[in-house]
Amino acid sequence: EDGDGLYFVFQKRKYVYSARTNTFDRVRCPKKEPLSHYTKSQGMATRGALSKAKRAHGRNVLSVPVPKFLDLYQQQLMSPLCVFQLFCASLWLFDAYWKYTCFSIFMILVMEGSTVFGRIKNLNTLRNIGGTGSAQRVWAYRFQRWAQIDVTDVVPGDIVTVDMPEGETETSIPFDAVLLGGAAVVNEASLTGESVPQMKEALSVGASNAEERLDMKGKDKVHVLFSGTSLVKVETAEEAADGVEGEKTSADTTTSPSKDGD
């Protein structure tokens, strides 16, 4: 139970009790709102709104536990395939092929060990893919002014500025965000497998599409920065309009982290 009432977490998804419907409703991020909702957003305007968002969504952290090597190795050896391979290799002992048996068992143990190392490496990569494990800081527009905050404190509804650190050729994007100003070039290889960087443009809203819903995975994909992808280049609104790249550039975004995976 928290400040908003009863809740529980199931499969990394939070459900909050609603007295109006007498059911537990899943907490969702604002990612399917009308386009005008994002362009007219003022960020976290009050401390009450910020506190409510923090209680509902928690911290912007991708938590992936990494088991110990011995635990994973034991689990790997107990898999049905490995047990079958060891059993077949041991049968050669009945025909006095002990050298062949020892070599086969040794190779099986080495191969299973390499598999465990690969699993640990993949878990470490997954844990760091969002960049939330580092001491990264961003500028956020809160309470009618800009302030620098830790990336783990970013909540859905924040307006933040995405910068390229000096001396860096790429930087990880630690949240899903709608691009409100400027332009960006993003490497989405970790998400889609494509090696060609993708161009991202600022969301443009007119009278004809103001009430259309945001489609992050469809037609509005070109306006969305996805968590875990790498930022290669950013341009301000003026530079994007003129087609000129500055020495130090930034782009304004409004975050809509989709922790529920939809």
Side-chain angles (χ1 to χ4, degrees), residues 93-159:
L93 287 174
F94 292 100
D95 289 334
Y97 289 105
W98 64 270
K99 291 183 179 180
Y100 176 78
T101 301
C102 292
F103 178 77
S104 298
I105 293 177
F106 173 76
M107 291 303 300
I108 292 173
L109 296 178
V110 171
M111 291 180 61
E112 296 301 330
S114 64
T115 302
V116 171
F117 277 119
R119 290 178 61 184
I120 292 177
K121 182 180 178 180
N122 292 336
L123 288 173
N124 284 323
T125 302
L126 182 61
R127 184 172 61 177
N128 298 326
I129 196 172
T132 57
S134 61
Q136 188 176 351
R137 296 180 67 83
V138 295
W139 288 93
Y141 188 70
R142 290 179 173 178
F143 319 131
Q144 308 301 317
R145 62 185 179 88
W146 289 97
Q148 200 172 30
I149 64 172
D150 193 90
V151 71
T152 59
D153 292 330
V154 174
V155 296
D158 265 329
I159 296 179

Side-chain angles (χ1 to χ4, degrees), residues 175-197:
F175 39 64
D176 292 350
V178 179
L179 192 61
L180 297 180
V185 178
V186 180
N187 182 358
E188 297 184 342
S190 61
L191 187 67
T192 63
E194 286 189 55
S195 58
V196 180

Side-chain angles (χ1 to χ4, degrees), residues 56-112:
H57 301 282
R59 304 182 70 216
N60 179 37
V61 176
L62 179 62
S63 178
V64 180
V66 180
K68 295 181 180 179
F69 174 82
L70 291 179
D71 294 336
L72 280 180
Y73 193 54
Q74 181 181 5
Q75 180 183 353
Q76 195 71 23
L77 292 178
M78 295 302 295
S79 64
L81 179 60
C82 183
V83 172
F84 177 75
Q85 289 176 327
L86 291 174
F87 174 75
C88 292
S90 63
L91 290 178
W92 288 97
L93 287 174
F94 292 100
D95 289 334
Y97 289 105
W98 64 270
K99 291 183 179 180
Y100 176 78
T101 301
C102 292
F103 178 77
S104 298
I105 293 177
F106 173 76
M107 291 303 300
I108 292 173
L109 296 178
V110 171
M111 291 180 61
E112 296 301 330

